[in-house]
Amino acid sequence: MGYDHPPRVAGDVKEAGIPIVMTRDRVSAKTGRKIGVYRFGDPADIKSGRIDGRRAFSKPFKDRLVAHYGSREAFTQEVLAPRYLQIDHRVPYQVAGDGSFDESNPDAYMLIDASSQRAKSWSCENCINAQRDRREEVCRSCFWASPEAYTHVALEEVRRLDLEWRAGEVAAFDALRERAAREGVTVQQLAKRLLEG
């Protein structure tokens, strides 16, 4: 009850381990465009251990994570008030489910802000490993699970460096941006060139 967004319903059912297949084979009477049609997939593909859905994290567990990691966002290392940080599984729920749910193991989880949550979700949802293979060890070596030590970003050979200039440092960034504009390159291109020295 209360659902009025079929893709969200399908996502919730998939998270519960029930296979859903989406096709676009009907035409909307309203718009004349093809619409998504959701059907149950092969019962042999049901993932056991997920039927009860996600488990909620306790407040004491979040407090333990903040004590364990500091009140830092996992990807940017920015110090934030705990209320802006969310608990996230390092290995996405769509791959591992809650089979490894263990509040005594803080290393299986990370603290991230809403912006990183959206970026991680989008990247993981579009990763072949999460869509098809669901190999936890592949996820564990990904930037989105282990930003401190990774070999790929959603199976692509990528390395990332997120930099932030604050308060008195902003003038240095502005100077870098002005120089990049004079040289006809992006700030990122100029920074890479300067780092390569």
Side-chain angles (χ1 to χ4, degrees):
M1 294 256 324
Y3 276 112
D4 192 25
H5 189 251
R8 181 65 257 163
V9 174
D12 288 350
V13 172
K14 284 180 189 176
E15 284 182 356
I18 300 168
I20 295 290
V21 176
M22 194 273 284
T23 58
R24 293 192 180 276
D25 57 2
R26 283 204 193 139
V27 176
S28 167
K30 279 180 162 177
T31 66
R33 294 188 311 192
K34 286 190 174 186
I35 59 174
V37 177
Y38 298 90
R39 294 182 177 89
F40 290 113
D42 185 345
D45 293 335
I46 291 175
K47 291 171 186 53
S48 62
R50 295 196 192 181
I51 299 301
D52 293 336
R54 290 182 186 242
R55 296 185 204 169
F57 296 107
S58 69
K59 172 75 168 93
F61 180 55
K62 182 172 182 183
D63 294 341
R64 283 198 306 275
L65 287 177
V66 169
H68 181 74
Y69 292 117
S71 194
R72 291 186 179 276
E73 206 282 340
F75 299 109
T76 65
Q77 291 298 301
E78 182 179 1
V79 175
L80 298 172
R83 71 178 175 272
Y84 297 118
L85 296 169
Q86 305 168 15
I87 300 171
D88 194 43
H89 299 80
R90 284 188 183 267
V91 175
Y93 182 87
Q94 70 194 76
V95 173
D98 263 342
S100 59
F101 186 91
D102 180 4
E103 288 194 355
S104 68
N105 180 15
D107 292 328
Y109 304 93
M110 58 194 346
L111 294 169
I112 60 179
D113 66 11
S115 176
S116 291
Q117 179 69 56
R118 284 189 297 277
K120 179 180 178 181
S121 291
W122 186 91
S123 185
C124 293
E125 287 165 9
N126 290 282
C127 176
I128 293 298
N129 186 59
Q131 291 174 353
R132 186 188 64 210
D133 302 332
R134 293 190 176 92
R135 293 174 36 214
E136 291 183 42
E137 69 277 6
V138 171
C139 288
R140 283 191 201 96
S141 63
C142 179
F143 169 78
W144 294 113
S146 304
E148 58 283 340
Y150 62 96
T151 60
H152 63 94
V153 178
L155 299 176
E156 290 187 40
E157 189 173 351
V158 173
R159 301 296 181 267
R160 294 178 52 137
L161 174 63
D162 295 315
L163 296 175
E164 184 176 285
W165 286 261
R166 287 180 169 262
E169 302 168 332
V170 170
F173 175 82
D174 291 343
L176 188 67
R177 183 172 52 197
E178 289 171 16
R179 178 176 170 183
R182 284 193 310 273
E183 295 182 20
V185 297
T186 66
V187 174
Q188 292 86 345
Q189 289 169 325
L190 178 58
K192 282 182 183 178
R193 194 172 75 212
L194 292 171
L195 288 170
E196 288 167 359

